[in-house]
Amino acid sequence: MSADLLGQFDPEMTDFMNQVMALYRPIFGTDNRWTMLIDGTARAGIEAALVSLVAAGDKVLVLNSGRFGLLLTEILSRIGASIETIDVPWGEIVPMETLAAAIERTSPRLVAAVHGDTSTTMAQPLDGFGALCRAAGAFSYVDVTATIGGMQIAADRWGVDVVSGGLQKCLGGPSGSAPITISDRAAEHIFRRRHIEKGIRREDIVDGHGPRIPSNYFDLAMIMDYWSEKRLNHHTEATSMLYAARECARIALGEGLEKRYARHRAAGRAMAAGLRAMGLTLFGNDSYRMSNVTGVYIPETVDGEAIRHAMRTNFEIEIGTAFGPLEGRIWRLGAMGYNAMKHKVLLTLGALEACLRAQGHPVAMGEAVPAALEAWDA
Ligand SMILES: *Cc1c(COP(=O)(O)O)cnc(C)c1O
């Protein structure tokens, strides 16, 4: 990131932009031509996708099973979309049959979901997701911020139209760039919206593509033109962030995606085994855990915040709190990117054990680390 700044029309820079497009295709599991970066944190990618895909009054079906499903509805409500949600308790996922029934009932223009909702530590299964949406004439969007680079993203196999993420979770980069991929069919829809004149009345729109995209910065049609051979000027590229995004992808592909996913799975397995061996109870549906963050109930006899503070001050380890209905009920232990390493998981478990014991919680001493070691290699 400390490399010399280049303008976005410098041939060296446009070459970097093309490299970024190529590097992120395997990471998203796609052949999509339109695979690029939105400047801003992950939410910039989410907002660009939603504001470019749907307009006020469009019906959108949201899989709402955690904090980030709620974020989708929040952004969509500002767009003025007509929102339908499939609500499941935090810690559960939406079964495909439930999704199919909801699509049939609501006939949405877009179905929006979160892959790994870090607030609940659950990963939504997405095989067959895009096909269900397409069969009903709907576009599909998935937020993969928390899983990209750590769990397999399969945009093409899932058949999802737009997928966006961020650098700061499993890709181990700085926050401030949002990789995104867009199917040709979604791109065509977005380009057509650009050509519809400002001011046209909704009821006059016959092709169903909706009115003009009401954002300049997040107008994906303009951003695609900017990343295309046309190189139409839009924003000033966030050069250093682009270098960072490129390097994150190079490192991930250098490690090998399969190896990287296996490393995250090992970390998740070890963390879960260690916590259980300590006598703690994991949160959520066991069949759908994210491999890179583990939720665990805070024992009733301890003060969750005091433990977090003790972990931070004595061991320099930060464990997560929780939001909404889970606030004060669970901790979330992340093992993403550079933290998905054996020694970090083992140190975290040892530290947690010591902090629990110091607070007088009757923890099974000395069990967690060996259990985690065994589970890592299982
Ligand atoms: C962390 C996270 C985000 C974060 O968005 P930012 O704008 O980068 O803060 C979005 N979605 C999900 C699922 C996340 O886990």
Side-chain angles (χ1 to χ4, degrees), residues 199-277:
I200 199 165
R201 288 184 308 145
R202 221 191 136 58
E203 43 284 22
D204 294 337
I205 294 163
V206 286
D207 70 355
H209 282 269
R212 199 174 198 227
I213 295 165
S215 168
N216 175 302
Y217 195 70
F218 290 135
D219 181 331
L220 282 179
M222 292 171 85
I223 298 172
M224 285 188 281
D225 278 344
Y226 176 76
W227 282 77
S228 78
E229 305 73 50
K230 295 185 201 157
R231 305 274 171 216
L232 294 188
N233 197 22
H234 183 240
H235 58 288
T236 307
E237 187 48 38
T239 307
S240 306
M241 282 312 304
L242 185 134
Y243 297 159
R246 173 177 171 274
E247 198 57 20
C248 283
R250 275 162 39 87
I251 290 169
L253 296 174
E255 178 177 3
L257 290 176
E258 286 312 321
K259 261 182 82 179
R260 196 175 174 93
Y261 302 148
R263 175 163 65 78
H264 281 83
R265 282 197 301 275
R269 241 184 359 250
M271 190 72 88
L275 293 167
R276 284 190 166 122

Side-chain angles (χ1 to χ4, degrees), residues 77-112:
S77 73
R78 289 175 193 247
I79 294 169
S82 158
I83 304 164
E84 302 270 354
T85 56
I86 306 175
D87 301 305
V88 296
W90 288 30
E92 290 299 332
I93 52 95
V94 177
M96 277 298 146
E97 312 78 69
T98 309
L99 175 64
I103 291 176
E104 176 144 353
R105 182 168 47 78
T106 57
S107 306
R109 150 146 295 210
L110 172 72
V111 183

Side-chain angles (χ1 to χ4, degrees), residues 101-146:
I103 291 176
E104 176 144 353
R105 182 168 47 78
T106 57
S107 306
R109 150 146 295 210
L110 172 72
V111 183
V114 176
H115 182 215
D117 201 310
T118 25
S119 67
T120 68
T121 72
M122 293 294 112
Q124 171 67 39
L126 290 164
D127 273 323
F129 179 80
L132 277 180
C133 300
R134 278 176 200 216
F139 291 108
S140 51
Y141 165 76
V142 177
D143 171 8
V144 300
T145 305

